[in-house]
Amino acid sequence: MNIAIFGTGNMASGLAALFNKAGHNITLASREPVKAQTVAAKLGTGIGVSSLADAAGAADAVVLAVPYEAAANVVEAAGDLAGKIVIDITNPLTVDFSGLTIGHTTSAAEEIQKRAPGAKVVKAFNTVFASVLQNGGKASGKPATVFVAGDDAEARKSVVSLAKSAGLAAVETGGLASARYLEPLAGLNIALGYGLGHGTDIAPTWQGIA
């Protein structure tokens, strides 16, 4: 796949490295082009850099690897995302990471879908720590599970295939409204990893579900 990753942080670089290793064509895009070039150079060969709009235009899938509060502006800057798979990895966390800013009746993913009504928004990768991605997608030596939610069935399956191609496990969790469960799950993972001191070599999964 041709994948545009919006962002230059640890999640963006972790996904870029994994997807690049799996043979996908990766372009990093940011509102700070110099930073994107620096990150791409550190990651090695095969990863391009472009503007948000140009990267989105050439992509099969766009990954929103930015803080949730920045997602609306980034989506607007990307231009027309109609027909594109938009993979939302954000979590609507409070500043101190102690809770969520929205939930129950909506989710970050659903709000992003409103901002890009023609896109096929899929929630995924939001429950996986960046350090797990940087460890080849493994937590405690085992492939981490990516939970995938989206209203478009084919887009969900494409993201499942993408995750598996990068060496992770993947589970479909239904429509985009399931993001209302997945975002609190990410909050629990953060509470366990940081609040209770279990570290970041952890990831949620379910036994018996492939």
Side-chain angles (χ1 to χ4, degrees):
M1 296 177 72
N2 291 319
I3 302 171
I5 298 180
F6 291 176
T8 55
N10 291 332
M11 288 294 292
S13 59
L15 288 172
L18 272 182
F19 295 159
N20 183 54
K21 185 178 179 180
H24 301 285
N25 297 318
I26 309 302
T27 302
L28 284 180
S30 171
R31 289 175 293 182
E32 301 178 66
V34 173
K35 192 170 184 180
Q37 290 170 356
T38 300
V39 171
K42 288 181 180 178
L43 290 173
T45 59
I47 295 176
V49 175
S50 184
S51 68
L52 294 169
D54 287 346
D60 302 310
V62 171
V63 180
L64 287 178
V66 297
Y68 170 63
E69 58 269 21
N73 287 338
V74 168
V75 166
E76 182 178 359
D80 186 11
L81 294 172
K84 303 286 184 182
I85 297 173
V86 175
I87 303 172
D88 168 35
I89 74 167
T90 71
N91 290 304
L93 297 167
T94 57
V95 174
D96 63 359
F97 300 101
S98 65
L100 302 180
T101 59
I102 58 174
H104 295 295
T105 59
T106 190
S107 62
E110 290 167 280
E111 294 304 304
I112 289 167
Q113 181 70 82
K114 292 175 186 176
R115 295 280 183 170
K120 303 171 185 178
V121 176
V122 176
K123 190 81 189 184
F125 300 99
N126 70 301
T127 62
V128 181
F129 282 125
S131 58
V132 170
L133 298 175
Q134 293 158 4
N135 193 36
K138 292 183 171 59
S140 300
K142 297 180 180 179
T145 299
V146 176
F147 299 102
V148 182
D151 290 336
D152 187 286
E154 290 305 314
R156 280 202 315 267
K157 293 183 185 304
S158 291
V159 176
V160 166
S161 295
L162 173 62
K164 289 182 176 180
S165 75
L168 296 106
V171 174
E172 288 190 60
T173 63
L176 200 59
S178 291
R180 300 176 196 179
Y181 306 128
L182 298 182
E183 290 165 10
L185 180 59
L188 175 60
N189 201 39
I190 290 169
L192 289 169
Y194 290 103
L196 296 176
H198 291 290
T200 58
D201 190 26
I202 60 173
T205 190
W206 262 266
Q207 292 180 334
I209 298 180

